[in-house]
Amino acid sequence: MLIDNHNRVINYLRLSVTDNCNMRCQYCMPEDGVIFSTSKELLSWEEMFLLATAFIELGIKKIRITGGEPFVRKGLMDFLHRLATVDGLEDISITTNATLIGEHIDALKKLNILNINVSMDSLDKARFNAITRRDYFDVVLKNVHQLLQNGFNVKINCVVMGGQNTDDIIPFINFANDYNVDVRFLEEMPFNGHSKGFDGLEWDYVKIMGLIQSQFPGIRRMQSAPSSTSENYTIENRKGSFGIIPSFSRTFCGTCNRVRVSAKGELQTCLYTNESVSFKKLLSENPDTALIKPFIYAAIQSRFKNGFEAEEKTAFKKSMSLIGG
Ligand code: SAM
Ligand code: SF4
């Protein structure tokens, strides 16, 4: 079991497989001038597999594949096939913008990779396309429906932004009821790679909840896993559920069970820090999990207590696409 220096069990790895993306969400990266890593800078699939295996041997039980957009990198499905065979790994899940997942639905089902989080910030086509700066609304909605029809456990992630998509909050609650899905509202974080300014958070979890409560009586809090980042709720006589993730308010750090690895092999032990430990060189020189594990272990022993301490010491100021959310 992997336990950090604040006595938190670490059993969840968010693994970014690319920093490249086919969208340009305003809250994540600028429209132009984004320089993505070259394939030489990225971990090869072999290196990534080795690193993931080292984490699993140390006690990681769940891996979430993220990015950038994971499905833009060629070879992802082969990697997942391999990852799914590793003993000790109990769950593989994916966070995706759902633009490219359609053709992989059958293969994912066969691999039993059924937990898919889809980023969708609006149910209004014009608003969705304005936020993502691309024209993929129809294909995303189609793929969400296809995932649901195929029995996937789909969660919709919506980043709430004042002046942009707060009119979508109630339609998303209705969407959750209509399709019996979970919708999660995320507080916006200041990790947009200088895509836009960020003058503090207008729509925090209290304000989001206030709006939902004003429209729906009978909201009930659900029991969530202790390490859950979202507070989850059902509404009386309605299907589906909704959650709020206080990613900017950071109320969940005390039970944080996760670490992150970037596509370049940098281990980041808090989302709010700029500090990381690079495994790229080590992996190319020592392709052996036994040699890598002590470095992972050491990094886990020097985690920040919470995101505020991390931000105060070495604030992360880049794009979320580099670390995967
Ligand atoms: N491309 C995939 C997607 O969009 O789902 C995976 C990578 S994306 C960086 C992972 C998650 O981070 C998404 O749910 C996205 O909404 C979230 N995210 C990105 N930038 C954010 C920000 N500034 N504040 C809050 N969430 C953000
Ligand atoms: Fe791409 Fe996801 Fe970032 Fe949007 S949030 S730009 S889909 S990586």
Side-chain angles (χ1 to χ4, degrees):
M1 197 188 284
L2 203 48
I3 298 179
D4 78 2
N5 49 320
H6 300 286
N7 220 19
R8 296 171 292 204
V9 174
I10 306 299
N11 52 20
Y12 174 18
L13 170 66
R14 295 182 64 101
L15 181 61
S16 171
V17 297
T18 178
D19 54 20
N20 202 338
C21 189
N22 55 348
M23 282 187 174
R24 294 288 182 277
C25 303
Q26 291 182 22
Y27 53 77
C28 181
M29 61 170 87
E31 179 156 27
D32 301 309
V34 188
I35 300 169
F36 297 115
S37 302
T38 62
S39 53
K40 268 194 177 160
E41 289 172 315
L42 297 178
L43 290 187
S44 66
W45 287 120
E46 184 59 35
E47 289 165 344
M48 207 168 271
F49 180 74
L50 209 78
L51 189 54
T53 306
F55 272 98
I56 296 163
E57 286 174 7
L58 280 167
I60 290 293
K61 303 277 180 229
K62 167 178 172 174
I63 294 184
R64 174 170 295 282
I65 304 295
T66 178
E69 173 47 40
F71 288 95
V72 301
R73 184 162 177 193
K74 282 205 182 79
L76 174 68
M77 291 309 295
D78 290 340
F79 175 71
L80 293 177
H81 266 98
R82 227 176 142 197
L83 194 61
T85 64
V86 181
D87 281 344
L89 184 60
E90 292 169 5
D91 180 54
I92 303 173
S93 50
I94 304 177
T95 297
T96 173
N97 63 27
T99 53
L100 304 169
I101 199 170
E103 64 180 286
H104 303 296
I105 286 179
D106 286 345
L108 290 168
K109 217 169 156 180
K110 280 192 190 120
L111 286 173
N112 205 28
I113 298 177
L114 300 175
N115 296 327
I116 309 287
N117 288 4
V118 174
S119 299
M120 218 184 159
D121 307 301
S122 181
L123 286 165
D124 174 88
K125 182 171 175 167
R127 243 181 342 242
F128 178 95
N129 289 347
I131 292 170
T132 59
R133 303 185 179 114
R134 291 292 184 271
D135 188 8
Y136 284 124
F137 179 79
D138 294 335
V139 68
V140 169
L141 197 59
K142 182 172 146 237
N143 285 338
V144 166
H145 284 307
Q146 228 178 308
L147 286 164
L148 291 171
Q149 279 156 16
N150 278 278
F152 283 77
N153 168 30
V154 177
K155 288 195 176 117
I156 306 285
N157 283 349
C158 167
V159 178
V160 177
M161 293 164 286
Q164 285 192 274
N165 64 348
T166 52
D167 286 349
D168 279 287
I169 294 175
I170 302 304
F172 268 124
I173 297 281
N174 290 328
F175 187 85
N177 176 51
D178 294 346
Y179 297 101
N180 198 8
V181 293
D182 300 322
V183 174
R184 284 124 42 102
F185 301 105
L186 282 70
E187 288 181 352
E188 186 180 5
M189 290 179 267
F191 306 151
N192 57 45
H194 307 291
S195 163
K196 58 176 189 165
F198 189 88
D199 306 323
L201 187 68
E202 189 194 340
W203 278 78
D204 65 0
Y205 68 102
V206 177
K207 193 161 174 178
I208 297 168
M209 190 59 176
L211 175 73
I212 300 170
Q213 271 169 334
S214 73
Q215 304 284 316
F216 297 101
I219 294 177
R220 294 220 175 96
R221 191 157 166 183
M222 293 165 73
Q223 187 86 25
S224 303
S227 56
S228 171
T229 52
S230 57
E231 291 289 356
N232 302 301
Y233 305 89
T234 53
I235 303 177
E236 218 169 73
N237 301 322
R238 292 175 72 91
K239 287 183 284 176
S241 65
F242 76 92
I244 304 180
I245 306 187
S247 23
F248 186 76
S249 304
R250 283 158 271 180
T251 54
F252 43 64
C253 298
T255 54
C256 178
N257 66 338
R258 64 199 59 195
V259 291
R260 296 168 168 85
V261 168
S262 76
K264 294 204 292 191
E266 294 147 337
L267 168 60
Q268 194 172 317
T269 61
C270 174
L271 190 49
Y272 275 84
T273 181
N274 206 23
E275 277 179 5
S276 60
V277 181
S278 175
F279 282 85
K280 175 77 182 158
K281 192 160 175 280
L282 198 66
L283 280 160
S284 62
E285 289 168 359
N286 303 292
D288 179 349
T289 59
L291 295 168
I292 295 160
K293 283 193 282 188
F295 292 93
I296 298 176
Y297 187 80
I300 303 284
Q301 296 317 309
S302 56
R303 294 185 78 214
F304 291 107
K305 190 173 174 203
N306 55 45
F308 295 103
E309 187 187 59
E311 187 179 31
E312 195 186 308
K313 298 207 167 131
T314 59
F316 183 77
K317 288 195 179 118
K318 301 177 200 158
S319 158
M320 190 72 104
S321 60
L322 293 171
I323 196 63

